[in-house]
Coordinates of all heavy atoms in Angstrom, one line a residue:
M4 N 2.1 2.8 3.5 CA 1.2 3.3 4.6 C 1.2 2.3 5.8 O 1.0 2.7 6.9 CB -0.3 3.3 4.0 CG -0.5 4.5 3.0 SD -0.1 6.1 3.8 CE -1.3 6.2 5.0
G27 N 12.3 -11.9 -7.1 CA 11.9 -12.5 -5.8 C 13.0 -12.6 -4.8 O 12.7 -13.0 -3.7
M38 N 25.8 -9.3 21.3 CA 26.2 -10.7 21.1 C 25.6 -11.3 19.9 O 25.9 -12.5 19.6 CB 25.8 -11.5 22.3 CG 26.4 -11.1 23.7 SD 28.2 -11.2 23.6 CE 28.4 -13.0 23.5
E49 N 10.8 -13.5 -1.4 CA 10.4 -12.1 -1.1 C 10.3 -11.9 0.4 O 9.4 -11.2 0.8 CB 9.0 -11.9 -1.8 CG 9.1 -12.0 -3.3 CD 7.8 -11.6 -4.0 OE1 6.7 -11.7 -3.3 OE2 7.7 -11.3 -5.2
A51 N 10.0 -14.2 3.0 CA 9.3 -15.1 3.8 C 10.3 -15.9 4.6 O 10.1 -16.2 5.8 CB 8.4 -16.0 3.0
Q54 N 18.3 -17.1 4.4 CA 19.5 -17.9 4.6 C 20.7 -16.9 4.7 O 20.8 -15.9 4.0 CB 19.7 -18.8 3.4 CG 18.6 -19.8 3.2 CD 17.5 -19.2 2.4 OE1 17.7 -18.5 1.5 NE2 16.2 -19.6 2.8
Q56 N 24.5 -16.0 4.2 CA 25.6 -16.3 3.3 C 27.0 -15.9 3.9 O 27.9 -16.7 3.8 CB 25.4 -15.6 2.0 CG 24.2 -16.0 1.2 CD 24.3 -17.4 0.7 OE1 23.9 -18.4 1.4 NE2 24.9 -17.6 -0.4
G84 N 39.2 -19.4 12.0 CA 39.5 -20.7 11.4 C 40.7 -20.7 10.5 O 40.7 -21.4 9.5
R94 N 33.0 -9.3 -3.9 CA 32.2 -9.4 -5.1 C 31.6 -10.8 -5.3 O 32.3 -11.8 -5.1 CB 33.0 -9.0 -6.3 CG 32.3 -8.9 -7.6 CD 33.2 -8.8 -8.8 NE 34.0 -7.6 -8.8 CZ 35.3 -7.5 -8.7 NH1 36.0 -8.6 -8.7 NH2 35.9 -6.4 -8.7
A112 N 31.3 0.9 4.3 CA 30.6 2.0 3.5 C 29.2 1.5 3.0 O 29.0 0.3 2.9 CB 31.5 2.3 2.3
A116 N 24.9 1.5 -6.8 CA 25.3 1.4 -8.2 C 24.7 2.6 -8.9 O 23.7 3.1 -8.6 CB 24.8 0.1 -8.8
R123 N 29.8 1.5 -12.7 CA 30.1 2.5 -11.7 C 29.4 2.2 -10.4 O 28.2 2.0 -10.4 CB 29.9 3.9 -12.1 CG 30.2 5.0 -11.0 CD 30.2 6.4 -11.5 NE 31.3 6.6 -12.3 CZ 31.6 7.8 -12.9 NH1 30.8 8.8 -12.7 NH2 32.7 7.9 -13.6
E143 N 38.6 8.9 -4.7 CA 37.8 9.8 -3.9 C 37.4 11.0 -4.6 O 38.2 11.5 -5.4 CB 38.6 10.1 -2.6 CG 37.9 10.9 -1.6 CD 38.6 11.0 -0.3 OE1 39.7 10.5 -0.2 OE2 38.1 11.7 0.6
L171 N 23.3 13.4 -8.0 CA 23.6 12.6 -6.8 C 23.0 13.3 -5.6 O 23.0 14.6 -5.6 CB 25.1 12.5 -6.6 CG 25.9 11.6 -7.5 CD1 27.4 11.6 -7.2 CD2 25.4 10.1 -7.4
P191 N 23.3 22.5 -1.0 CA 22.3 22.1 -0.1 C 20.9 22.0 -0.9 O 20.6 22.8 -1.7 CB 22.2 23.2 0.9 CG 23.5 23.9 0.8 CD 23.9 23.8 -0.6
S200 N 10.1 18.8 17.5 CA 9.6 17.5 18.0 C 9.1 16.7 16.9 O 8.6 17.2 15.8 CB 8.4 17.8 19.0 OG 7.3 18.4 18.3
G203 N 5.6 17.6 15.3 CA 5.4 18.7 14.5 C 6.4 18.8 13.3 O 6.4 19.8 12.6
A221 N 8.6 5.0 -7.7 CA 8.4 5.0 -9.1 C 7.7 6.2 -9.7 O 7.8 6.5 -10.9 CB 7.4 3.8 -9.4
A243 N 7.3 20.9 0.5 CA 6.7 20.7 1.8 C 6.0 19.3 1.9 O 4.8 19.3 1.8 CB 5.8 21.8 2.2
R246 N 4.4 13.6 6.2 CA 4.8 12.4 6.8 C 4.0 11.2 6.2 O 2.8 11.2 6.1 CB 4.6 12.4 8.3 CG 5.1 11.2 9.0 CD 4.7 11.2 10.5 NE 5.2 12.3 11.2 CZ 6.3 12.4 11.9 NH1 7.1 11.3 11.9 NH2 6.7 13.4 12.5

Side-chain angles (χ1 to χ4, degrees):
M4 291 301 297
M38 298 299 293
E49 299 182 340
Q54 300 82 41
Q56 295 293 93
R94 182 193 299 118
R123 175 169 291 181
E143 187 169 357
L171 290 176
S200 66
R246 183 192 297 271

